Amino acid sequence: MIRFATLVLAAAIAAAGAFPARAAVDVFACEPEWAALATDIGGDRVEAFAATTVMQDPHHIRARPSLIARIRRADLLFCSGAGLEIGWLPVLLQRGAPAGVQPGRPGHLMAAEHVALLDKPAVLDRAQGDLHPEGNPHLHLDPRNLVTLAGVVAERLALLDPEGKAYYAARAEAFRATWNRAIAEWQTRARVFRDMPVIVQHKAWSYLVAWLELKEVAALEPKPGLPPTASHLESLLRLTRAQNVAAIFRAPYDSPQASEWLSSRAKIPALTLPYTVGADTRDGQGARTLHEVFERTVTLLETAAKRKAQP
Ligand SMILES: [Zn+2]
């Protein structure tokens, strides 16, 4: 019996691709969304590792020795860029990363360099702890950016692994077709909550807000990265009444105190939106795929809109 179980396990490991030879391209993704996209396009020719989980704020990660060790074998580094990883990625690049993933090389892929950034300040200024001085780096939350990046990552993978070129191109094409259909459906469903006023905890939702034409009236953080103060929260409470705010958005990794305070006083829901792929250890839920990130988000917004429509 034990021997049978061992054989089954060995077969399962082999089927999962962990047993045979190394994948053609080793991907070190800074965030789960990029590991998921690299896998969607690279299939079994890539092995993708995510340096962070949905329960970690990607702005604030420690460049731990295990990450330094892991980046040593990377062929492709795939991150958001625009300063999102400025507190930790430079250390990894200096201490462990091979030449092929250094800036300027095909193995260095920063998503922000391939899409139009929102919230670009007129003057670059990191003063007062602003975490978005180069523009907003949370760009994966507009799925149209994922379609663009699917093509970009297919090209990069083909440069690193020329034998897989047709394979990557076919998967990127299939991704584009599936996602363009899904995006059109989500946009149709989003008509019921167009212009819905919302408050965000951190300005992590700008791309989602712009894509779905929501109305972001304020953020709990007075500036990206600065914790909300009591006086700021009091002013937001007045604003929720004046603007008829429907919901507060937070990420699974956000501390819930400030949004719960406002939620209970203003009697509006604080919604934990999926933000990225991965299990939310607080509520036991989470999105298993990139598609589920948007599917669950749109469903949660539909519920918020219905609730608001009730007298
Ligand atoms: Zn941010």
Side-chain angles (χ1 to χ4, degrees):
M1 202 56 197
I2 290 167
R3 263 181 70 185
F4 176 73
T6 310
L7 282 174
V8 170
L9 182 65
I13 290 169
F19 225 50
R22 189 175 177 271
V25 184
D26 188 285
V27 180
F28 183 102
C30 288
E31 290 86 25
E33 58 271 23
W34 306 128
L37 185 61
T39 306
D40 283 347
I41 305 307
D44 53 16
R45 294 189 75 87
V46 309
E47 187 187 326
F49 165 82
T52 54
T53 76
V54 68
M55 300 309 289
Q56 291 176 295
D57 180 345
H59 283 293
H60 301 291
I61 299 297
R62 208 167 61 79
R64 358 180 254 288
S66 62
L67 292 181
I68 294 169
R70 186 60 188 75
I71 204 171
R72 285 207 174 108
R73 57 181 161 112
D75 303 306
L76 176 65
L77 173 70
F78 192 2
C79 301
S80 296
L84 182 65
E85 302 93 358
I86 198 153
W88 51 285
L89 186 57
V91 179
L92 298 185
L93 283 169
Q94 273 166 27
R95 299 222 187 128
V101 303
Q102 298 292 340
R105 301 292 296 271
H108 186 94
L109 176 52
M110 295 293 128
E113 291 169 12
H114 300 272
V115 300
L117 294 186
L118 298 177
D119 307 335
K120 264 203 154 169
V123 188
L124 199 143
D125 182 13
R126 249 174 229 292
Q128 295 175 293
D130 187 344
L131 284 176
H132 297 166
E134 298 166 41
N136 194 307
H138 304 277
L139 57 99
H140 68 286
L141 287 173
D142 181 336
R144 295 168 301 186
N145 286 345
L146 295 182
V147 173
T148 301
L149 285 152
V152 174
V153 76
E155 282 167 21
R156 292 299 178 93
L157 289 170
L159 283 174
L160 299 165
D161 169 31
E163 270 180 42
K165 189 175 179 186
Y167 177 82
Y168 300 132
R171 290 180 71 97
E173 191 47 51
F175 184 96
R176 235 187 320 269
T178 313
W179 277 73
N180 283 339
R181 253 195 320 274
I183 288 167
E185 281 168 25
W186 288 322
Q187 287 175 181
T188 303
R189 285 165 64 190
R191 283 188 199 135
V192 298
F193 48 78
R194 184 180 287 168
D195 292 324
M196 187 166 77
V198 299
I199 286 181
V200 300
Q201 173 140 355
H202 171 71
K203 280 187 77 67
W205 310 99
S206 300
Y207 294 87
L208 183 81
V209 163
W211 169 52
L212 296 177
E213 298 177 62
L214 298 165
K215 193 173 148 203
E216 182 181 310
V217 298
L220 296 188
E221 293 180 345
K223 250 186 185 212
L226 290 190
T229 58
S231 64
H232 183 61
L233 287 176
E234 289 289 353
S235 74
L236 292 184
L237 182 55
R238 289 191 293 275
L239 189 71
T240 55
R241 288 167 186 153
Q243 300 258 3
N244 200 16
V245 170
I248 308 159
F249 292 176
R250 68 180 177 218
Y253 59 76
D254 280 326
S255 154
Q257 275 107 327
S259 52
E260 288 303 327
W261 183 93
L262 188 59
S263 168
S264 64
R265 274 160 190 80
K267 311 239 176 321
I268 52 173
L271 300 179
T272 304
L273 301 180
Y275 184 75
T276 187
V277 180
D280 181 335
T281 52
R282 277 209 185 99
D283 66 7
Q285 299 198 42
R288 284 163 301 174
T289 61
L290 283 170
H291 183 273
E292 268 188 28
V293 170
F294 296 96
E295 181 58 34
R296 286 200 52 199
T297 299
V298 170
T299 304
L300 286 164
L301 294 179
E302 283 172 333
T303 309
K306 254 184 226 142
R307 182 191 169 278
K308 189 165 176 277
Q310 280 161 9

